[in-house]
Structure formats: C-alpha cells, structure tokens
Amino acid sequence: MADVDGATGFAVDLTNCDREPIHVLGTIQPFGFLIALTADWLVSRVSANSAAFIGHEPEALLGQPISAVFSADAIHMLRNRITLLRGPDSVERIFSLALMDGGPAFDIAVHFSGQLVVIEGEPASHDEMEASSIVRSMVSRLAQVEGMAPFLRDGARQVRALTGFDRVMVYRFAEGGDGEVVAEALRSGVDSFYGLHYPASDIPVQARALYLRNIFRVIADVKAVPVPVVPALDPTGAALDMSLCLTRAVSPIHIEYLGNMGVGASLSISIIVEGKLWGLFACHHYAPRLPTFAQRSAAELFGQIFSMMLESRERAETATYEGKARQVADRLMAAVAQDHDLLSNARWLGDIIFDTIPADGVGIYIDGQMTFSGLTPDPAAFSAIVTMLNRVAASQIYTTDNLSAVLPGAADYADRAAGLLAIPLSRRPRDYVVLFRAEQLRSVRWAGQQDKHIEYGPNGPRLTPRKSFESWSQLVKGVALPFAPAELRVAEALRTALLEVVLRLSDSADQERQRANEKQELLIAELNHRVRNILSLIRGLLSQTRDSAATVEEFIGTLESRVHALARAHDQITADRWSPARLYDLIEVEAGAYLGERRDRVQLSGPNVLLTPGCFTVMALVIHEMLTNAAKYGALSDSGTVTIDWRVDEDGSLLLDWTESGGPAVVAPTRRGFGSTVIERSIPYDLEGHAEINYRLAGIQAHFCIPSRHIVSVLPEAVSRDRAKPATAVTPGLLRGRNVLLVEDNMIIAMDGEDALRDLGADVSTVASVGRAQEAIMVQSIDLAVLDFNLGHETSLPVADLLTQKGIPFLFATGYGDGLELPERFAHIVLVKKPYSGTTLAQALGPMIAPSD
C-alpha cells in the first residue's frame, strides 16, 4: 500500500502504490536513533531525536567529527565491525555498546548507504539469550517435520514462540504477485486468516524489492509519530537511501492499511528461495510490541535458515519428480525410436505423458493429421489452436491457463480445454503434441474486496487501502489449473527427446542406450560387491560356528542366533536411515530375545549413549555372545543375574563393565571358540578399543573400552539399574475431545508438550505468562491444565488458584526435581519432572479424567 504525489493532473490508479519511494521516506521510528557519517567520519545526517538518546541536538552534531561525541573505544569497535561488511546489503550488529564514556549502552546496527556509514542505535536490552543455541534447537526440531504443510506450519509456530506476536502467517506469493496465507500460528481468540488470498497491490513492487534486500522488518508501534532525519536532502539534493535501515519509518498508506486491520505492531521476515521472494513470515500484534535486539537477530537468522531448508525440500521434491520424468522420457524416446507410428497414437502417448504431467486430454497434430484422447476440443477448434500456436509458440513450448484470453471462441469448450501446454515436434512451427486441462471452477477466498477507491486527502487524490478484511469469495471460471514450473521443465525435456526422434538422430539414441547400459553395469557391479561382502560374512560365520559346534543341532542353533543378532542390530540402525543408535536399546533387544519377560535378570546402569552404526554392529555381536555364554554356562543358566554398568570417561571413551553373580561356579574354557574370539578380538580389531574377560569362580567379569570416536553423543536421561518392566502403552485418544491449557515459558519445551498432548487427542492452548493463562481460562472452556511452575520472573501459583476456584484439574511441571517445595494448599497436586514425555503426561493426567459416559 503506497502513498502518492498529490500534484495536479497526476492519474490515480493501482500503479501509484508501486511508484512510492518507500526507501527514502526520510523518517525513522522513535524507538531508536540514526547517525550517518561521511567517509572521513563527519556527521552528515542525524535523526531529530538524537538528544533523547545521546544528549546532543542535531544542530550540534551536523558537520562535526564523530570522535567529538563517541568514545575512542566505541569508534574502534565500530570501525572493526565495518570492515566485516561484505556486499552492498550487509548489516553488522553490536550488542550493549557504550558509545560515550560513562554513558548508557546501546544495541547498534551499522551498514553502508552509498558512501555513507549509517549507524542506528536503541537502548540496550541486555537480553542474555543465546541466539545461535535457540535457533539451533528450532532448526533441529524443524528438520524432523515431514511434509511441506506441517513444515510451514511448524515454522510459523516457532517464529511466534520466538517473537511473541499474536499472529504469525506464512504468506506465499503467486506468479502474478498476489498471495495466500498457507500456514498460520495465532494466539487464542484471534481470528484465523488461513487460506485467505491478498491482491498484489497489498505488497507493491518496490516493497517486494526491499524484502529481497532487507529480509527483516519491524514496525514497533503503528501509531508512533515518525522522527525526521535532518537534513532531508544533502547538498546535491539527494535523499538518504534507507533501504537497509532497521528503524526506517513506515509509509502513511501502509500505516492506514494496518490501522484498518486493527494491528498495533507488525514484523516480517522474508522467505527467499533460489534468489527470489518466495513469501514472508508476516507477524501481527494487536498492541505495540518491539522484540529485543537479540530476539530480532535470532528471528532473522531463523528466517534465513528456514529459507535454505525450504529451498532444499523443494529441490528434493523437484529432483524426485524430474527423475521420474526422465525415466518416462527415456521410455518414450526408446519406444518411438523403434516404432514411429506410436507418435500419432494419442491414447498411448497420453498414457505415457500423463504419468508425469497430469492433464485431461491430449491432441496430436502431425502433417495435417489430428488424433485425440480424453477431453479435447473438436477438430475445427483444434485446427484454430494450431494456427494460433504457429504465431506465438515458434519452436518452444507454450502454455496458458486461460485459453479464451488469447483465442476468441475458446470459452465455448472451456469445460473440456480451458488451458493447454503445447510441445512442438519439429523445428518448423507445424507439428505439436498439445496437453489440455479442463476448466477448474473454484472459489477463491479474498481478504476483503480487492478494489480500492479514490478519496481526497491532504495530499490530493490517492488510492486508499482496503478498509474491509472480512473474507469474501470469488467464483473463478474459464481458467484451468496452471502447469507448474517443474512440469514445464519436464515438457521441455520431452520436446527435446521427441524432436530427436522426429529428426531421426539415431546416433543420439545409441548414446542414450550406451549410457543406460553403463549405468546398469555400474549397478550390477555395486550389487555384486555388496552380495560378495554378505556372502563372505556368512561364510565366515559358517566356518567359525562349525569349528566350535559339537552337534548338528548345536551348529544350526548357534548359527541361527548369530544371524538373528546381526539382523536385529541391522534393523535398529536402519530404522532411522542408518543413524546412530542407543546402547541401551541394543542390550534390551538382545536380553528380550533370550529371556522374554525374565529380562529383568539383566540389570542396566549408565548414561544414554548413542553409538555409530559400525560400532553398534560390532557391539551387537559382542553382547550377543556374552548373553549366549551367560545363558548356556553362566549366571543366566541358573538363578543368577547379569549387571551391566557403563560410563563415559574424561576422554569421551565408553567404559563398559559386565558382572555375573548368583550362577554356577565358573571354569575357564579349555579352548577358544568363535564366540570367545568375537568377545576378545572384535572390539580391539574393528574399533581399536580394549577387551578383557576374567573367569572368576563367583562369576565372569569383563571390561570393555570403546574409543570416543565411536560415541556420537550422550543424551541427558540416564538408564536406571532397577528399571521396571516396559510401561503399558498409552491409548492415543486418551484426551480426545478435551481442551488442555499448557502454560510454559520455554519455547522448545512448549512445542514438545503441545505435540505430546495432541498425540493423545487433546485440543491444546499454549501460553507463556500468568496474564495470558488467566485470560485463556476466563474466555475458553478448559478441561485440564499443565502448569510450568517457574515462568521466568513469576510462578504459575496465581493460575493454579484460579483453576482451583473454577474446579479445573491441573498438574505442575518443573525442572527443579524433588527440590521444589509446593505451598501447603497444593501439596496434593501431581508434580511432573522435566523433561517429560507423552507417556509421562498421560499417566499423570489419566486419573484426573472423569469416566466417559
């Protein structure tokens, strides 16, 4: 939405907004100040509010060296940061910098505007948040999300959790510049804009250009009075280019636009994919709001990483799709090369192409002959289409989703062919394969009327922003679903392939077949290599087991158990695409395979360690052989127990102790079988570690050391020695139909809690403060509540009192463990320790739920 020049005779139309010079408004928002310096560090421009921040009026600063105002240390810091600026759109930030000796600290942003150095400052927030750590956690969570729609929705949730805005939308631009809200996260009680469309004029051309240069934009208070930058023009008559300014003020028309929506503050983060503006995180707040400098920096960093992750996902989807399309093109090319008559078989060609480019019909025009399949125009209409293509398509593919707009009379058959994709078959404009898509009648929900009206104001006639943002629908007729860019690339590949066939480029066909044979030979060679490795491993197991077995039955049983151990280990490390796996899971699975419900005779104690896949496989065989010996000859053959303790030493190596007790007297073996060899040599040989086994009379004791490079990580939770039997599975729909209030001030824990409660079927409302929680309880119907006891600078006790007053059951969650002392009135309330899981929540909330009717 853009303001316009009120000069006499200036035409008022939708393009006015596109010509407003919003990058040289000459004003800033009052939450900060601005100083522009020349190359020799003289003050060239300064905001009119400079005295309020640094105690110097603009008149006293202009033309003066900045060294007369700022301290030497501050200037040194600024100069160092300026040397880090790379590229024309680079901005550097400095946190908590004292600009003057003994003066207050400021959060600073510095960048180049032409030849000027622009310094912007605001009072330091002293926010201690670690942006990189927060963003790392957010990105890690986002990486686990499967599917594009959940990915966009989770991105909106995380931006809202980080910034605290009432509404966060993921807004995607279409080819024509209009956009749609494709994901949303919002505060309870705020109307949803999900699925609404907005016309291109709502975000004019020059605004979209700025979003590419300056990816982060905040409007802290829509009603704030902007502060001028003086002087407005330099001696040459040029205004200050404020494209990269963090404090840049706002177009009056955009202020009016936001005011019409009732918005008090806004924030946007550009989503840039392959160098183009894909969309925005558009954030609205219904009161003034300015996130801290650190929060804004973290949000900007998250936006950049989100853009890269989105680009990677889109590329992966496109690569998969285009890979399938290349296979289709190869199949089509090979078939037509063998039988040219197939090219005029519309049904066959349609069946081949529709696998990759969905369409409702196909028409083929070769040497004046026409063939059809599916929904198509009649021959006379198709002939007119070919004539039109000869004028506009030349030898390139051509597409339109509104055929009636380029060919009069096409509206008569829009129900069969409203859009098309033409693939030329020759260099001369003569022969075509044309894919048709039928009219797609659909209702588009717009955020208010698109049309703007002209009104007269203090600056003359101009277009006003839309005053109604209520959804209204428009029925779209005569338009087909457009062919996507990836489909057009596939069509171009098909054009090239078909053109080669038509021109009888047999040498190219031979080369393609040769490349296909080479790929096949490479695949066969790789397959042979892997099969040989597997056969070698099986052959080794066979020979080693045969040497140590006394009977055929023992040979078969031992071999089968060893193969099963390898299979179980392989299943565990390939269940998550050959990712690291837990030592605890390995031992549990092996113990369960041997002992079933009696696996509590194997007692475990140690940290939650993740092993590399290679190490996991080796340890699977070692643990298997140890359990086998214990079950045959040791403690598990009688009424004894096996205790397995492990720890990580200062070097990061894993130390594992195996102790058997309560079994029969132990006698050292007189010969070394394959099992003993695996135990004693696998870890030293394959992992370069250490293995030691002692045959003591009271029971076998073993010690193993696995080097640190095989240890991926040590997770926070530990494994208990006296673990109980596995908990009974929780019914996924335990909380179905119930509204649960989650009060949690930590963003990551809040999102995990939301997911856990939703998995149990609950409808979840999440808030981060006492005030928001009390508001939610008063305006919503709440059935249960989960309260984080400590909410930063306050506790959730007032929320607990209100819930008690209304008779709503709740529990406390805390990270303080047993050290938390609840007030006497809440001594009976269930206390869940963090980190908690969905199972933990279900077990705690289950008894609070009234029996169903």
Side-chain angles (χ1 to χ4, degrees):
M1 307 296 296
D3 205 351
V4 298
D5 191 345
T8 303
F10 187 77
V12 180
D13 57 40
L14 284 176
T15 65
N16 291 2
C17 292
D18 290 339
R19 296 200 296 272
E20 184 187 16
I22 59 176
H23 64 299
V24 290
L25 288 175
T27 55
I28 66 169
Q29 300 178 64
F31 65 80
F33 67 92
L34 178 147
I35 296 178
L37 307 176
T38 62
D40 51 357
W41 286 64
L42 300 179
V43 178
S44 172
R45 285 187 173 90
V46 63
S47 58
N49 62 350
S50 59
F53 290 95
I54 59 176
H56 295 271
E57 296 290 347
E59 295 78 7
L61 291 172
L62 291 171
Q64 298 300 314
I66 196 63
S67 58
V69 182
F70 292 173
S71 68
D73 289 341
I75 292 175
H76 177 72
M77 177 65 76
L78 289 169
R79 287 185 181 275
N80 284 344
R81 284 306 174 92
I82 288 173
T83 63
L84 299 178
L85 292 173
R86 296 291 185 271
D89 297 337
S90 178
V91 178
E92 280 293 322
R93 293 172 172 79
I94 308 173
F95 293 90
S96 299
L97 175 65
L99 294 175
M100 298 164 290
D101 290 328
F106 295 93
D107 290 330
I108 300 295
V110 59
H111 69 274
F112 283 113
S113 177
Q115 298 299 317
L116 299 178
V117 175
V118 177
I119 300 170
E120 297 173 273
E122 60 186 87
S125 60
H126 302 291
D127 191 344
E128 299 299 328
M129 69 175 291
E130 175 55 49
S132 61
S133 177
I134 291 291
V135 173
R136 187 184 305 113
S137 298
M138 296 168 67
V139 169
S140 176
R141 178 184 178 83
L142 199 60
Q144 306 303 316
V145 178
E146 296 183 1
M148 185 60 73
F151 175 79
L152 298 175
R153 185 169 57 249
D154 207 59
R157 288 175 58 198
Q158 299 211 44
V159 170
R160 179 170 181 265
L162 182 59
T163 64
F165 273 66
D166 290 336
R167 179 202 314 281
V168 175
M169 300 171 285
V170 177
Y171 180 84
R172 181 173 189 174
F173 290 111
E175 287 295 327
D178 58 320
E180 179 187 0
V181 178
V182 295
E184 184 180 51
L186 42 81
R187 174 174 61 83
S188 301
V190 175
D191 292 336
S192 173
F193 286 175
Y194 177 72
L196 294 185
H197 290 69
Y198 293 80
S201 55
D202 276 18
I203 303 180
V205 172
Q206 82 280 29
R208 291 197 290 272
L210 271 184
Y211 281 129
L212 273 173
R213 294 191 60 197
N214 191 350
I215 67 171
F216 189 89
R217 174 73 163 139
V218 65
I219 302 172
D221 186 353
V222 167
K223 296 181 180 179
V225 178
V227 177
V229 175
V230 294
L233 303 176
D234 66 12
T236 68
L240 177 64
D241 186 340
M242 305 179 70
S243 299
L244 302 181
C245 290
L246 275 62
T247 59
R248 174 167 51 87
V250 192
S251 158
I253 296 300
H254 190 57
I255 290 294
E256 185 178 345
Y257 179 85
L258 294 174
N260 290 341
M261 298 179 71
V263 172
S266 75
L267 182 151
S268 63
I269 309 171
S270 303
I271 302 174
I272 299 173
V273 174
E274 295 185 348
K276 297 180 180 179
L277 188 61
W278 184 95
L280 302 169
F281 283 110
C283 312
H284 289 164
H285 204 69
Y286 291 95
R289 181 169 183 81
L290 178 64
T292 67
F293 203 66
Q295 287 174 324
R296 280 142 51 200
S297 299
E300 180 177 355
L301 176 60
F302 174 75
Q304 291 174 305
I305 298 177
F306 180 90
S307 294
M308 290 188 288
M309 295 177 71
L310 175 60
E311 180 174 330
S312 176
R313 287 183 177 232
E314 288 194 339
R315 283 184 175 177
E317 291 180 356
T318 300
T320 300
Y321 167 73
E322 292 184 354
K324 177 183 176 183
R326 283 193 296 270
Q327 295 174 358
V328 171
D330 289 344
R331 189 166 72 249
L332 183 151
M333 189 172 170
V336 176
Q338 297 295 326
D339 184 359
H340 288 193
D341 291 338
L342 288 175
L343 200 57
S344 58
N345 186 333
R347 182 179 297 277
W348 176 84
L349 197 60
D351 289 343
I352 293 290
I353 296 178
F354 292 171
D355 280 347
T356 53
I357 308 178
D360 299 307
V362 60
I364 301 174
Y365 186 95
I366 298 179
D367 291 331
Q369 301 297 314
M370 294 177 281
T371 56
F372 303 93
S373 178
L375 297 178
T376 63
D378 58 40
F382 187 50
S383 181
I385 290 173
V386 170
T387 302
M388 182 270 295
L389 290 174
N390 287 340
R391 297 195 308 269
V392 301
S395 61
Q396 303 300 316
I397 62 172
Y398 173 81
T399 184
T400 177
D401 60 354
N402 188 0
L403 184 57
S404 61
V406 295
L407 184 64
D412 296 338
Y413 49 83
D415 59 329
R416 290 168 286 152
L420 63 80
L421 171 59
I423 305 173
L425 296 181
S426 60
R427 298 192 186 278
R428 291 175 295 168
R430 182 187 60 188
D431 301 334
Y432 298 94
V433 172
V434 184
L435 305 180
F436 293 103
R437 284 181 177 173
E439 174 184 50
Q440 186 184 50
L441 288 173
R442 66 188 188 278
S443 178
V444 177
R445 295 171 58 231
W446 293 94
Q449 286 278 355
Q450 293 189 72
D451 298 335
K452 302 178 183 179
H453 64 278
I454 299 171
E455 68 177 27
Y456 285 82
N459 297 316
R462 60 175 173 78
L463 289 170
T464 62
R466 291 175 297 114
K467 294 183 181 299
S468 172
F469 290 88
E470 294 181 0
S471 172
W472 68 284
S473 296
Q474 177 188 25
L475 185 63
V476 178
K477 297 182 179 181
V479 178
L481 181 69
F483 290 89
E487 293 171 336
L488 298 182
R489 289 194 293 271
V490 170
E492 179 61 29
L494 290 174
R495 183 191 73 84
T496 302
L498 291 172
L499 183 62
E500 290 181 357
V501 172
V502 171
L503 297 177
R504 297 175 181 174
L505 300 177
S506 57
D507 53 340
S508 295
D510 291 339
Q511 292 175 8
E512 287 295 322
R513 285 193 293 271
Q514 182 179 353
R515 282 196 289 268
N517 289 336
E518 290 174 354
K519 291 179 182 178
Q520 186 177 23
E521 290 175 1
L522 181 62
L523 179 62
I524 291 173
E526 176 64 18
L527 182 61
N528 284 338
H529 172 71
R530 297 195 178 194
V531 169
R532 282 196 298 270
N533 283 346
I534 293 173
L535 291 176
S536 296
L537 177 60
I538 293 176
R539 185 170 60 248
L541 287 176
L542 283 169
S543 61
Q544 296 295 335
T545 305
R546 179 193 59 205
D547 295 340
S548 59
T551 65
V552 173
E553 290 76 11
E554 182 183 352
F555 168 75
I556 294 173
T558 303
L559 177 63
E560 184 177 29
S561 69
R562 287 168 176 168
V563 171
H564 281 180
L566 286 173
R568 286 192 295 271
H570 182 79
D571 288 343
Q572 287 175 271
I573 58 179
T574 57
D576 195 17
R577 300 183 180 181
W578 203 255
S579 296
R582 301 198 313 166
L583 173 64
Y584 173 77
D585 292 340
L586 185 156
I587 301 174
E588 275 285 87
V589 169
E590 280 297 325
Y594 269 97
L595 304 174
E597 292 298 323
R598 296 180 296 110
R599 62 171 168 234
D600 56 353
R601 292 175 59 189
V602 178
Q603 300 179 357
L604 312 180
S605 175
N608 201 349
V609 175
L610 285 180
L611 304 179
T612 62
C615 175
F616 193 90
T617 303
V618 173
M619 290 302 297
L621 273 179
V622 172
I623 296 299
H624 170 77
E625 295 299 336
M626 291 294 294
L627 282 172
T628 299
N629 290 342
K632 285 183 177 180
Y633 319 110
L636 299 182
S637 67
D638 201 341
S639 58
T641 60
V642 174
T643 300
I644 307 174
D645 296 305
W646 63 90
R647 65 189 185 280
V648 176
D649 67 9
E650 296 178 353
D651 297 331
S653 299
L654 176 67
L655 306 179
L656 186 146
D657 293 308
W658 176 292
T659 305
E660 298 184 20
S661 59
V666 173
V667 178
T670 57
R671 66 184 182 89
R672 286 288 187 268
F674 178 61
S676 299
T677 302
V678 166
I679 295 170
E680 295 176 2
R681 296 189 58 188
S682 289
I683 293 177
Y685 186 84
D686 292 323
L687 305 181
E688 297 184 357
H690 174 74
E692 177 183 341
I693 183 167
N694 297 308
Y695 298 91
R696 302 182 184 277
L697 187 63
I700 289 176
Q701 291 184 351
H703 176 76
F704 304 102
C705 175
I706 294 88
S708 59
R709 64 178 176 275
H710 302 292
I711 313 304
V712 176
S713 63
V714 181
L715 302 180
E717 65 270 22
V719 176
S720 171
R721 176 187 298 273
D722 299 321
R723 71 196 191 286
K725 293 184 179 179
T728 304
V730 176
T731 305
L734 177 68
L735 302 179
R736 183 173 292 113
R738 289 175 168 83
N739 296 320
V740 178
L741 175 65
L742 175 61
V743 183
E744 172 60 63
D745 65 330
N746 183 283
M747 174 183 59
I748 303 300
I749 297 176
M751 287 188 285
D752 286 339
E754 284 181 8
D755 291 342
L757 291 167
R758 287 197 177 102
D759 288 344
L760 296 171
D763 293 324
V764 186
S765 298
T766 305
V767 297
S769 65
V770 169
R772 291 294 189 192
Q774 291 171 329
E775 178 184 348
I777 295 169
M778 298 305 295
V779 301
Q780 298 181 47
S781 175
I782 303 296
D783 298 313
L784 297 166
V786 177
L787 309 181
D788 178 15
F789 184 83
N790 192 306
L791 300 173
H793 300 296
E794 57 185 349
T795 71
S796 58
L797 290 177
V799 182
D801 288 328
L802 182 58
L803 291 169
T804 302
Q805 178 184 339
K806 289 185 169 292
I808 300 173
F810 63 93
L811 61 79
F812 286 114
T814 179
Y816 290 99
D818 297 328
L820 179 66
E821 295 184 5
L822 292 173
E824 183 63 29
R825 65 184 185 279
F826 295 128
H828 64 288
I829 298 298
V830 175
L831 185 65
V832 174
K833 301 175 186 177
K834 296 180 182 178
Y836 50 74
S837 64
T839 301
T840 305
L841 286 176
Q843 292 170 344
L845 291 172
M848 302 181 187
I849 300 173
S852 303
D853 294 336

